[in-house]
Amino acid sequence: MKILLISLLLIALTAGFVHAQSTASKQISTFNIASPDLGIKKKIWVYTPKSYKNSNKSYPVIYMFDAQNLFDAKTSYAGEWEIDEYLDSLTTKDKEAIIVGIEHGNDKRIDELTPYSHEKHGGGNGDLFLQFIIKNVKPEIDKTYRTKSSAKFTTIFGSSLGGLMALYAVIKYPETFTKAGVFSPAFWINPEINDFIKTSEILKSTKFYFMAGSAESDTMIADMKKVITLLKVKGIKDKQIKSTVIEGGEHNEKLWRDNFPDAFQWLMN
């Protein structure tokens, strides 16, 4: 648990660490957008498929947390996920998507990515942050890009605190999201998530992709399995859930980078 917390805090406090050279794909663009409720401006990263420019079709969208770590070694804390490199390499046209990365707020990351306040670590502004995505970011994306804007084609995805928030978002806001990528979820910081699942109506068509490493923390796998059990009690069928445990996997970008391709392919089916 202590190792996981240290990792979270390091990500929050050192996201400004600068590497020598940008590795972002030419398919990446960025823009800034204000959040009136949060009183901040956020940098948004957008990946469009290589086919986007020369086609008229619309694309599903994946919204992801911690944009600094997704596409570019220059802005990442400890290595990027290389999502753009992976998607640039795809040849199957039926597995394409627009990826929207929302930057975390550095020392505000715990505030933004927890739905409930923790007695020791604070936080609890997750709903405000999700409302920013739903009311500000998503409308701008749908206006600017050719998207399949309905919930059926909209995924939310994150790791650690982002994994916690992705699970929360897909249950709390099914009119916006119906698929969740849940990597290394930090359920320990908000155990209230269990009661939230128990008391929520969950769409039976919702898809959940869970992944964690066996070497992340003492409770990571047990907490994740408990959440999966609760989802199944609520009526979510086995075919709507995929769960992967990586033996020896540690809480870092390498684990998330290595396992993003499988999660992407499964969620896009």
Side-chain angles (χ1 to χ4, degrees), residues 99-171:
I99 311 294
V100 178
I102 300 100
E103 287 200 349
H104 64 70
N106 297 310
D107 60 338
K108 300 294 184 183
R109 184 173 184 265
I110 290 179
D111 289 336
E112 295 171 348
L113 300 185
T114 48
Y116 308 102
S117 179
H118 186 277
E119 182 180 3
K120 181 177 179 182
H121 304 297
N125 286 328
D127 268 302
L128 279 177
F129 193 62
L130 288 173
Q131 286 297 313
F132 162 63
I133 296 172
I134 293 167
K135 294 180 178 179
N136 302 106
V137 179
K138 188 176 187 300
E140 184 67 22
I141 294 296
D142 291 337
K143 180 180 71 175
T144 306
Y145 299 90
R146 297 191 309 275
T147 66
K148 293 182 177 180
S149 60
S150 70
K152 179 181 178 181
F153 300 103
T154 307
T155 301
I156 190 158
F157 200 133
S159 64
S160 193
L161 293 178
L164 164 69
M165 282 304 297
L167 176 78
Y168 180 82
V170 80
I171 297 173

Side-chain angles (χ1 to χ4, degrees), residues 6-7 10-11 14-15 17 19 68-69 72-73 75-79 253:
I6 290 170
S7 176
L10 283 174
I11 290 172
T14 62
F17 180 78
H19 297 258
Q68 294 98 321
N69 299 329
D72 197 344
T75 60
S76 68
Y77 159 61
E253 273 70 27

Side-chain angles (χ1 to χ4, degrees), residues 84-98:
D84 45 342
E85 285 87 349
Y86 167 68
L87 295 177
D88 278 352
S89 73
L90 294 180
T91 58
T92 54
K93 300 305 181 184
D94 60 339
K95 296 292 193 303
E96 295 179 313
I98 293 171

Side-chain angles (χ1 to χ4, degrees), residues 202-204 229-238 240:
I202 305 175
L203 290 180
K204 301 301 186 290
T229 297
L230 290 173
L231 290 172
K232 291 182 177 180
V233 168
K234 295 294 292 187
I236 304 299
K237 303 300 184 184
D238 287 345
Q240 298 299 117

Side-chain angles (χ1 to χ4, degrees), residues 30-42:
T30 63
F31 67 92
N32 294 316
I33 188 169
S35 168
D37 292 333
L38 294 173
I40 57 172
K41 280 190 175 180
K42 284 283 185 185

